[in-house]
Amino acid sequence: PMLPRLGGAGVHAWRQLSSLSRRRRSYLMLVVMTVFAGVPGAVSAEGDPEITAGIVLGILTFAGPLYVQCDFRSDYDCLAYLRSLPTRPAALAAGQILASVLVISAFQLVFGGWILFVVEAARLPLWGLVFATLPLVVALELCVENGAFLLYPYRLDYTRGPPGAVQIARMYALMLGKLVAVLLGLALAAAPGAILWMQWRAMSAAIAVSWVVLAAEVVLLVWFTGRLFVRVDPSTDLGD
């Protein structure tokens, strides 16, 4: 069954998800990297399941967007076609980003969801909050990745050899930009919740307010990504 239409966002998300089989190599690389990076962390954590799950989820959260590209970055050859569609830019951007968020969230549940079955009952709400917040953090990262791509569209093709110095510099700049964006977004979201907690000591209300503010930031960034897509001129911005 297809995703709900959602003003066109669901259609574009489904289009991306229906082509997952063509990206198996990237997903395999993500799994291998997660395992190789997570095992030493698990050993150093001396078997603590929460630390192990935190390491795995952290890797998938920050490295996932580099390998999962079910969005504008995989649509270099389709940008001209996408510009001709009647879908609103915000809905189009939401659908593109939603597809990558769903795939990365699936990886997080598969490789980190086991913590929900072994953690103490008293800490289960905390981990539930973590899994409810991670998709927003991933979406924020993806907005940065897609925004940078739309500002300077380029073909992701390494079949002719490894990436050059410009591509490597771009990758590190994006990683730094994502880190700054995530930290800034979390700080802005935490601020009203912290104020609420300091004034009334209402922890549940503070968490709910911060979560809603973070979600509002993601909505705003998705809208801005759609505006960047509108600025793309296939006749001049695409190199081939």
Side-chain angles (χ1 to χ4, degrees), residues 28-220:
L28 178 61
M29 291 175 61
L30 176 60
V31 171
V32 170
M33 188 196 69
T34 302
V35 171
F36 274 89
V39 169
V43 173
S44 63
E46 299 181 350
D48 189 319
E50 294 192 78
I51 296 179
T52 302
I55 292 173
V56 170
L57 291 173
I59 294 171
L60 290 171
T61 298
F62 288 98
L66 294 175
Y67 293 91
V68 178
Q69 300 185 357
C70 305
D71 42 53
F72 287 115
R73 294 170 294 169
S74 64
D75 275 342
Y76 179 91
D77 293 319
C78 302
L79 288 178
Y81 167 73
L82 293 176
R83 290 278 279 116
S84 68
L85 296 177
T87 309
R88 290 178 301 163
L92 178 58
Q96 298 280 65
I97 292 172
L98 175 62
S100 290
V101 170
L102 290 176
V103 174
I104 295 173
S105 296
F107 275 109
Q108 290 172 334
L109 286 174
V110 169
F111 290 96
W114 53 267
I115 190 64
L116 299 174
F117 299 96
V118 301
V119 73
E120 297 178 0
R123 297 182 63 79
L124 193 57
L126 173 62
W127 280 100
L129 177 64
V130 168
F131 279 97
T133 305
L134 283 178
L136 297 179
V137 176
V138 170
L140 195 152
E141 293 182 73
L142 289 167
C143 286
V144 175
E145 291 264 8
N146 282 268
F149 171 79
L150 292 171
L151 284 173
Y152 180 64
Y154 67 105
R155 186 186 299 278
L156 296 169
D157 182 11
Y158 300 144
T159 57
R160 300 179 182 178
V166 175
Q167 287 78 11
I168 293 175
R170 179 190 178 94
M171 181 181 67
Y172 280 107
L174 276 176
M175 292 177 63
L176 179 61
K178 286 193 301 182
L179 179 61
V180 171
V182 169
L183 293 178
L184 182 60
L186 291 177
L188 291 175
I195 294 173
L196 185 62
W197 181 80
M198 288 187 293
Q199 289 291 329
W200 291 282
R201 302 294 177 179
M203 179 59 71
S204 298
I207 292 174
V209 168
S210 294
W211 194 93
V212 170
V213 171
L214 183 60
E217 293 175 4
V218 171
V219 171
L220 181 61

Side-chain angles (χ1 to χ4, degrees), residues 7-20:
V11 175
H12 288 284
W14 182 258
R15 177 180 63 84
Q16 291 284 5
L17 293 174
S18 64
S19 62
L20 291 180

